[in-house]
Amino acid sequence: MAPVTAADEEMYALVERLYPLCRSITGDGVRATLEIVGEYVPLQVHEVPTGTQVLDWTVPQEWNIRDAYIADAAGKRVVDFAASSLHVLGYSVPVSATMPLAELRGHLHTLPEHPSWVPYRTSYYKPEWGFCLAQEVLDALPDGEYEVCVDSTLADGHLTYAEHVVPGQVADEVIVSCHVCHPSLANDNLAGIAVATFLARALAEQTPYYTYRFIFAPGTIGAITWLARNAERIDRVKHGLVLACAGDSGQLTYKRSRRGDAEIDRVMRHVLAASERPHRVTEFTPYGYDERQFCSPGFDLGVGSLTRTPYAGYPEYHTSADNLDFVSPQAMADTLGVCREAFAVLDRNRRYVNLSPYGEPQLGRRGLYDALGGRSDTKQAQMAMLWVLNLSDGEHSLLDVAERSGLPFDTVAAAAGALHGAGLIKA
């Protein structure tokens, strides 16, 4: 990977700032997260009331938590929410009680196979309370009475999500989605939030062809809410990418859309192969992140998913070991780089029509060959012009040309630009 830059360190610093916050699918933790992201890119924040029907789901009550602990007979906190937000079962209902360890065990979650790690567990739609702790801590607890406190509220409120839009030359949209509901998990998905944020900043420095809509929403219910509230404009969404697990040391993994041959699928496959980065391309499955909502059969959008190591593909997944040491500025920068390369291809991938299709037009008298003089890749550029002319029949895209010719997409796009400027092809 390339050396770490100041921008890479800034991206990692965003993960560091977000890491301590207790997030869930609703609540003040999500708002605090979006407030910080909003310092980097302007956000339009949406609040959707509890009870709102969104497709087949209903926006749940809002959950907030102030404190939670398990204390021994001497009053010492043996499990403390203040030490890590992972210690509390997400969406725990309030409880204040004293009970023996034997009774308390039914509310405790551990990872016996990794005795020093704390698991991440939730109970969003079933009223429950509980704690997550290291197995070695549980093993050290003596029998006896323990004070249990979860100082939380479940009440009518709102589900919160946000959007950032980078205007393009056309109204057709590319959506970039990441989930903002996980507490203190650096790779899943603070790295995804950071990469999305810095991708938005990079695109804003250009004038992209497509309009890019970034969606920062809680997983599943957030994407479903966004789809329900934007049903009338879904036809504008031409391409999309879900970003998650963007900061670990594993190789890049692209998961195709449900369609399997959507333009974003072809672009990602081409860019990853051309970059010679270690990578995998996997088929769509209806399990994973929010690509499964965007690719549900009623919408069937061309949305794929980009991760490094996929969900549940590394032991640290959904545990306290997915910490700030598990992600790196280099890995996030690499993920960001692939996104930028892919969108650069997507933005320039056009279909052209040859305006001089009968025989090969004379390029020399139009100065096209002269314009290439002195280039180290002159022959390659000439071949690109010939390929573009031959396949500009309104059916083949520039990506088709690049794949069929074996030429770099950038070279093909440059050739198309020259031919268009000379009046030999039109979009």
Side-chain angles (χ1 to χ4, degrees):
M1 294 184 185
V4 177
T5 68
D8 303 338
E9 293 286 7
E10 188 183 5
M11 187 159 46
Y12 184 82
L14 174 56
V15 173
E16 289 181 306
R17 288 185 66 190
L18 296 175
Y19 185 76
L21 299 178
C22 181
R23 281 164 293 273
S24 189
I25 56 172
T26 62
D28 291 335
V30 174
R31 295 187 186 96
T33 298
L34 296 176
E35 184 176 347
I36 290 173
V37 172
E39 296 175 16
Y40 294 78
V41 292
L43 295 178
Q44 181 180 8
V45 178
H46 304 270
E47 298 274 8
V48 185
T50 296
T52 302
Q53 189 71 28
V54 286
L55 306 182
D56 194 46
W57 295 59
T58 303
V59 173
Q61 288 189 311
E62 182 175 325
W63 183 69
N64 286 293
I65 183 166
R66 288 170 290 273
D67 194 13
Y69 60 87
I70 301 172
D72 62 18
K76 177 186 176 183
R77 295 190 178 193
V78 295
V79 179
D80 192 354
F81 169 75
S84 171
S85 57
L86 294 179
H87 276 310
V88 174
L89 179 76
Y91 253 63
S92 278
V93 299
V95 61
S96 179
T98 301
M99 64 186 67
L101 181 60
E103 181 181 348
L104 179 57
R105 283 181 181 274
H107 296 275
L108 302 181
H109 305 270
T110 64
L111 290 167
E113 66 275 23
H114 295 289
S116 65
W117 297 358
V118 177
Y120 164 56
R121 298 290 183 267
T122 63
S123 185
Y124 294 141
Y125 301 105
K126 178 183 178 182
E128 182 60 270
W129 64 268
F131 289 85
C132 300
L133 66 160
Q135 181 68 45
E136 62 189 19
V137 172
L138 177 58
D139 291 343
L141 294 181
D143 288 333
E145 296 288 309
Y146 289 85
E147 180 189 357
V148 177
C149 173
V150 177
D151 183 8
S152 64
T153 57
L154 267 170
D156 287 353
H158 297 83
L159 178 146
T160 309
Y161 71 92
E163 297 174 287
H164 171 77
V165 177
V166 180
Q169 299 170 39
V170 297
D172 290 345
E173 291 187 359
V174 179
I175 58 173
V176 180
S177 172
C178 60
H179 57 276
V180 296
C181 52
H182 285 180
S184 299
L185 298 174
N187 198 42
D188 181 26
N189 187 41
L190 297 180
I193 295 171
V195 170
T197 301
F198 280 75
L199 178 59
R201 285 177 60 169
L203 288 169
E205 295 173 356
Q206 309 164 15
T207 306
Y209 177 74
Y210 289 108
T211 293
Y212 286 83
R213 183 176 299 273
F214 289 79
I215 303 168
F216 300 86
T220 304
I221 186 65
I224 286 171
T225 299
W226 186 88
L227 286 163
R229 288 165 56 88
N230 291 274
E232 76 288 346
R233 46 187 300 283
I234 289 297
D235 59 350
R236 293 187 195 174
V237 177
K238 304 303 179 185
H239 321 283
L241 193 63
V242 172
L243 283 172
C245 299
D248 68 88
S249 61
Q251 66 180 356
L252 285 156
T253 301
Y254 176 72
K255 176 183 172 182
R256 298 179 195 265
S257 70
R258 177 179 182 268
R259 299 178 192 175
D261 61 350
E263 190 170 344
I264 188 67
D265 300 328
R266 297 184 57 215
V267 167
M268 289 301 304
R269 181 188 65 196
H270 176 82
V271 166
L272 286 168
S275 73
E276 299 184 347
R277 290 176 173 91
H279 70 277
R280 289 194 308 153
V281 176
T282 64
E283 298 302 319
F284 175 80
T285 65
Y287 181 76
Y289 292 113
D290 284 330
E291 69 277 358
R292 70 188 196 272
Q293 311 307 332
F294 299 117
C295 293
S296 56
F299 295 108
D300 196 21
L301 298 174
V303 176
S305 172
L306 182 66
T307 63
R308 301 193 73 84
T309 307
Y311 53 86
Y314 50 98
E316 297 85 355
Y317 178 78
H318 279 193
T319 77
S320 58
D322 184 355
N323 56 31
L324 293 172
D325 294 332
F326 188 67
V327 300
S328 70
Q330 297 97 322
M332 287 190 287
D334 189 50
T335 307
L336 175 61
V338 167
C339 292
R340 295 186 66 174
E341 291 165 27
F343 289 163
V345 172
L346 197 64
D347 251 21
R348 294 176 292 165
N349 191 31
R350 306 276 186 281
R351 287 176 172 81
Y352 289 93
V353 174
N354 188 338
L355 299 177
S356 183
Y358 298 102
E360 182 180 301
Q362 189 175 6
L363 301 179
R365 70 178 173 84
R366 292 177 170 85
L368 292 174
Y369 279 153
D370 293 340
L372 301 174
R375 289 176 49 147
S376 60
D377 63 344
T378 297
K379 185 170 180 59
Q380 192 177 63
Q382 290 173 351
M383 286 302 301
M385 285 190 182
L386 297 178
W387 273 108
V388 171
L389 284 168
N390 192 269
L391 293 180
S392 289
D393 53 9
E395 299 295 326
H396 292 85
S397 69
L398 294 185
L399 183 58
D400 292 324
V401 176
E403 290 180 340
R404 186 163 174 179
S405 68
L407 295 168
F409 182 89
D410 285 349
T411 303
V412 170
L419 292 167
H420 185 267
L424 287 171
I425 59 175
K426 70 173 182 179

